[in-house]
């Protein structure tokens, strides 16, 4: 059990944003834009293609963490724990002094496996919010908040619902600076390059 959780953390901590941003000409993403090691900051620093690739890779590592744990356990608890570990690994990677991304794309990958029926409506909330406001952070937060009740309503196993709730708390905490900027009207909108 512990091995799967550790593996989930280590897989989640792979810094695809930092690696790909460098390949697209950004020397150190931590010193650019928001300083966040996530797809949105890669998109601002290195363009849409790089941002989309990072988002897909971050989703893949979340899904891989859950898939690996599911191979080692017949029940839903270990995959759920490994998924949360992957999100924590993305946000607090040991390789980068525990300074990573905000966990949204990785969480999307995790819950695409754990709660597949809840992801489409959560994704719809994200897309509609971003389309209307141009704030990726606001869309991410609303989708994150909606995921636990959606997972419960869709009949997901209890460990998956608990994992969604834990992920929501972690991701909201990680977005506290975005929340402050949203309140003051200084949050960056989609499409603004740095």
């Amino acid at each position: 059990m512990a091995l799967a959780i550790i593996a989930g953390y280590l897989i989640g901590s792979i810094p695809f944003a930092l690696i790909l941003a460098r390949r697209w000409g950004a020397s150190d993403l931590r010193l650019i834009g928001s300083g966040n090691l996530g797809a949105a900051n890669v998109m601002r620093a290195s363009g849409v293609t790089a941002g989309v690739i990072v988002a897909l890779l971050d989703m893949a590592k979340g899904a891989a963490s859950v898939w690996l744990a599911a191979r080692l356990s017949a029940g839903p608890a270990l995959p759920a724990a490994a998924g949360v570990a992957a999100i924590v690994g993305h946000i607090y990677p040991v390789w980068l002094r525990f300074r990573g991304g905000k966990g949204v794309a990785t969480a999307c990958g995790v819950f695409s496996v754990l709660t597949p029926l809840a992801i489409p409506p959560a994704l719809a909330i994200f897309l509609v919010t971003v389309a209307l406001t141009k704030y990726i952070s606001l869309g991410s937060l609303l989708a994150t908040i909606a995921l636990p009740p959606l997972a419960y309503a869709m009949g997901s196993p209890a460990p998956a619902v608990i994992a969604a709730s834990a992920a929501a708390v972690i991701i909201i905490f990680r977005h506290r600076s975005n929340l402050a900027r949203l309140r003051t009207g200084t949050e960056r909108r989609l499409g603004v390059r740095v």
Side-chain angles (χ1 to χ4, degrees), residues 75-96:
L78 186 58
V84 173
I87 296 165
V88 171
H90 177 80
I91 296 172
Y92 303 108
V94 65
W95 330 108
L96 301 174

mmCIF file of all heavy atoms in Angstrom, residues 75-96:
data_model
loop_
_atom_site.group_PDB
_atom_site.id
_atom_site.type_symbol
_atom_site.label_atom_id
_atom_site.label_comp_id
_atom_site.label_asym_id
_atom_site.label_seq_id
_atom_site.Cartn_x
_atom_site.Cartn_y
_atom_site.Cartn_z
ATOM 1 N N GLY A 75 -9.586 -3.082 -4.222
ATOM 2 C CA GLY A 75 -10.563 -2.123 -3.693
ATOM 3 C C GLY A 75 -10.301 -0.707 -4.184
ATOM 4 O O GLY A 75 -9.271 -0.425 -4.806
ATOM 5 N N PRO A 76 -11.220 0.221 -3.887
ATOM 6 C CA PRO A 76 -11.097 1.602 -4.365
ATOM 7 C C PRO A 76 -10.236 2.514 -3.485
ATOM 8 O O PRO A 76 -9.870 3.602 -3.908
ATOM 9 C CB PRO A 76 -12.544 2.091 -4.365
ATOM 10 C CG PRO A 76 -13.194 1.322 -3.256
ATOM 11 C CD PRO A 76 -12.532 -0.030 -3.259
ATOM 12 N N ALA A 77 -9.883 2.071 -2.268
ATOM 13 C CA ALA A 77 -9.199 2.973 -1.340
ATOM 14 C C ALA A 77 -7.776 3.298 -1.778
ATOM 15 O O ALA A 77 -7.361 4.465 -1.749
ATOM 16 C CB ALA A 77 -9.201 2.372 0.069
ATOM 17 N N LEU A 78 -7.021 2.296 -2.193
ATOM 18 C CA LEU A 78 -5.623 2.535 -2.572
ATOM 19 C C LEU A 78 -5.500 3.412 -3.815
ATOM 20 O O LEU A 78 -4.703 4.361 -3.816
ATOM 21 C CB LEU A 78 -4.883 1.213 -2.755
ATOM 22 C CG LEU A 78 -3.378 1.326 -3.013
ATOM 23 C CD1 LEU A 78 -2.688 2.059 -1.869
ATOM 24 C CD2 LEU A 78 -2.760 -0.046 -3.217
ATOM 25 N N PRO A 79 -6.267 3.165 -4.874
ATOM 26 C CA PRO A 79 -6.204 4.087 -6.013
ATOM 27 C C PRO A 79 -6.569 5.526 -5.637
ATOM 28 O O PRO A 79 -5.950 6.472 -6.141
ATOM 29 C CB PRO A 79 -7.210 3.493 -7.005
ATOM 30 C CG PRO A 79 -7.249 2.045 -6.673
ATOM 31 C CD PRO A 79 -7.092 1.985 -5.180
ATOM 32 N N ALA A 80 -7.550 5.684 -4.756
ATOM 33 C CA ALA A 80 -7.931 7.032 -4.325
ATOM 34 C C ALA A 80 -6.786 7.700 -3.581
ATOM 35 O O ALA A 80 -6.471 8.886 -3.812
ATOM 36 C CB ALA A 80 -9.180 6.967 -3.449
ATOM 37 N N ALA A 81 -6.144 6.960 -2.686
ATOM 38 C CA ALA A 81 -5.016 7.510 -1.926
ATOM 39 C C ALA A 81 -3.849 7.845 -2.843
ATOM 40 O O ALA A 81 -3.200 8.897 -2.698
ATOM 41 C CB ALA A 81 -4.582 6.521 -0.846
ATOM 42 N N ALA A 82 -3.572 6.971 -3.806
ATOM 43 C CA ALA A 82 -2.481 7.219 -4.754
ATOM 44 C C ALA A 82 -2.779 8.436 -5.622
ATOM 45 O O ALA A 82 -1.871 9.209 -5.959
ATOM 46 C CB ALA A 82 -2.248 5.988 -5.623
ATOM 47 N N GLY A 83 -4.057 8.618 -5.971
ATOM 48 C CA GLY A 83 -4.435 9.787 -6.756
ATOM 49 C C GLY A 83 -4.206 11.080 -5.999
ATOM 50 O O GLY A 83 -3.670 12.054 -6.543
ATOM 51 N N VAL A 84 -4.602 11.106 -4.730
ATOM 52 C CA VAL A 84 -4.357 12.301 -3.914
ATOM 53 C C VAL A 84 -2.854 12.523 -3.771
ATOM 54 O O VAL A 84 -2.378 13.668 -3.833
ATOM 55 C CB VAL A 84 -5.038 12.175 -2.538
ATOM 56 C CG1 VAL A 84 -4.632 13.340 -1.626
ATOM 57 C CG2 VAL A 84 -6.556 12.143 -2.690
ATOM 58 N N ALA A 85 -2.090 11.445 -3.616
ATOM 59 C CA ALA A 85 -0.637 11.568 -3.509
ATOM 60 C C ALA A 85 -0.042 12.183 -4.776
ATOM 61 O O ALA A 85 0.893 12.987 -4.705
ATOM 62 C CB ALA A 85 -0.015 10.201 -3.240
ATOM 63 N N ALA A 86 -0.583 11.809 -5.945
ATOM 64 C CA ALA A 86 -0.101 12.381 -7.206
ATOM 65 C C ALA A 86 -0.369 13.885 -7.259
ATOM 66 O O ALA A 86 0.478 14.664 -7.715
ATOM 67 C CB ALA A 86 -0.765 11.680 -8.385
ATOM 68 N N ILE A 87 -1.540 14.297 -6.785
ATOM 69 C CA ILE A 87 -1.869 15.730 -6.762
ATOM 70 C C ILE A 87 -0.922 16.472 -5.826
ATOM 71 O O ILE A 87 -0.397 17.541 -6.155
ATOM 72 C CB ILE A 87 -3.344 15.928 -6.349
ATOM 73 C CG1 ILE A 87 -4.264 15.317 -7.410
ATOM 74 C CG2 ILE A 87 -3.653 17.409 -6.155
ATOM 75 C CD1 ILE A 87 -5.704 15.140 -6.952
ATOM 76 N N VAL A 88 -0.686 15.889 -4.648
ATOM 77 C CA VAL A 88 0.250 16.491 -3.698
ATOM 78 C C VAL A 88 1.652 16.546 -4.304
ATOM 79 O O VAL A 88 2.368 17.556 -4.159
ATOM 80 C CB VAL A 88 0.257 15.706 -2.368
ATOM 81 C CG1 VAL A 88 1.374 16.192 -1.446
ATOM 82 C CG2 VAL A 88 -1.096 15.835 -1.669
ATOM 83 N N GLY A 89 2.050 15.487 -5.016
ATOM 84 C CA GLY A 89 3.352 15.477 -5.663
ATOM 85 C C GLY A 89 3.496 16.568 -6.702
ATOM 86 O O GLY A 89 4.557 17.200 -6.816
ATOM 87 N N HIS A 90 2.433 16.804 -7.446
ATOM 88 C CA HIS A 90 2.471 17.883 -8.452
ATOM 89 C C HIS A 90 2.604 19.247 -7.779
ATOM 90 O O HIS A 90 3.367 20.105 -8.237
ATOM 91 C CB HIS A 90 1.201 17.848 -9.304
ATOM 92 C CG HIS A 90 1.132 18.957 -10.298
ATOM 93 N ND1 HIS A 90 1.802 18.930 -11.499
ATOM 94 C CD2 HIS A 90 0.495 20.150 -10.258
ATOM 95 C CE1 HIS A 90 1.575 20.062 -12.163
ATOM 96 N NE2 HIS A 90 0.785 20.813 -11.418
ATOM 97 N N ILE A 91 1.868 19.453 -6.693
ATOM 98 C CA ILE A 91 1.866 20.752 -6.024
ATOM 99 C C ILE A 91 3.137 20.963 -5.204
ATOM 100 O O ILE A 91 3.691 22.065 -5.175
ATOM 101 C CB ILE A 91 0.614 20.880 -5.125
ATOM 102 C CG1 ILE A 91 -0.653 20.843 -5.990
ATOM 103 C CG2 ILE A 91 0.653 22.160 -4.302
ATOM 104 C CD1 ILE A 91 -1.939 20.781 -5.197
ATOM 105 N N TYR A 92 3.592 19.893 -4.558
ATOM 106 C CA TYR A 92 4.763 19.987 -3.671
ATOM 107 C C TYR A 92 5.818 18.950 -4.074
ATOM 108 O O TYR A 92 6.059 17.985 -3.352
ATOM 109 C CB TYR A 92 4.341 19.783 -2.216
ATOM 110 C CG TYR A 92 3.285 20.758 -1.740
ATOM 111 C CD1 TYR A 92 1.977 20.345 -1.525
ATOM 112 C CD2 TYR A 92 3.603 22.095 -1.518
ATOM 113 C CE1 TYR A 92 1.005 21.242 -1.096
ATOM 114 C CE2 TYR A 92 2.646 22.994 -1.099
ATOM 115 C CZ TYR A 92 1.343 22.562 -0.886
ATOM 116 O OH TYR A 92 0.388 23.451 -0.464
ATOM 117 N N PRO A 93 6.473 19.135 -5.234
ATOM 118 C CA PRO A 93 7.459 18.150 -5.700
ATOM 119 C C PRO A 93 8.759 18.224 -4.898
ATOM 120 O O PRO A 93 9.314 19.303 -4.699
ATOM 121 C CB PRO A 93 7.690 18.551 -7.162
ATOM 122 C CG PRO A 93 7.396 20.010 -7.195
ATOM 123 C CD PRO A 93 6.316 20.245 -6.183
ATOM 124 N N VAL A 94 9.211 17.074 -4.471
ATOM 125 C CA VAL A 94 10.425 17.029 -3.655
ATOM 126 C C VAL A 94 11.629 17.536 -4.430
ATOM 127 O O VAL A 94 12.560 18.111 -3.855
ATOM 128 C CB VAL A 94 10.658 15.594 -3.125
ATOM 129 C CG1 VAL A 94 10.946 14.623 -4.272
ATOM 130 C CG2 VAL A 94 11.772 15.554 -2.084
ATOM 131 N N TRP A 95 11.628 17.370 -5.764
ATOM 132 C CA TRP A 95 12.778 17.762 -6.579
ATOM 133 C C TRP A 95 12.948 19.268 -6.668
ATOM 134 O O TRP A 95 14.033 19.752 -6.990
ATOM 135 C CB TRP A 95 12.630 17.222 -8.010
ATOM 136 C CG TRP A 95 11.868 15.958 -8.138
ATOM 137 C CD1 TRP A 95 10.614 15.791 -8.658
ATOM 138 C CD2 TRP A 95 12.288 14.658 -7.722
ATOM 139 N NE1 TRP A 95 10.234 14.477 -8.596
ATOM 140 C CE2 TRP A 95 11.249 13.746 -8.020
ATOM 141 C CE3 TRP A 95 13.450 14.174 -7.117
ATOM 142 C CZ2 TRP A 95 11.321 12.395 -7.752
ATOM 143 C CZ3 TRP A 95 13.521 12.822 -6.849
ATOM 144 C CH2 TRP A 95 12.482 11.955 -7.162
ATOM 145 N N LEU A 96 11.876 20.014 -6.455
ATOM 146 C CA LEU A 96 11.887 21.461 -6.689
ATOM 147 C C LEU A 96 11.594 22.247 -5.410
ATOM 148 O O LEU A 96 10.914 23.270 -5.445
ATOM 149 C CB LEU A 96 10.866 21.820 -7.777
ATOM 150 C CG LEU A 96 11.096 21.145 -9.132
ATOM 151 C CD1 LEU A 96 9.959 21.440 -10.085
ATOM 152 C CD2 LEU A 96 12.431 21.584 -9.733
#
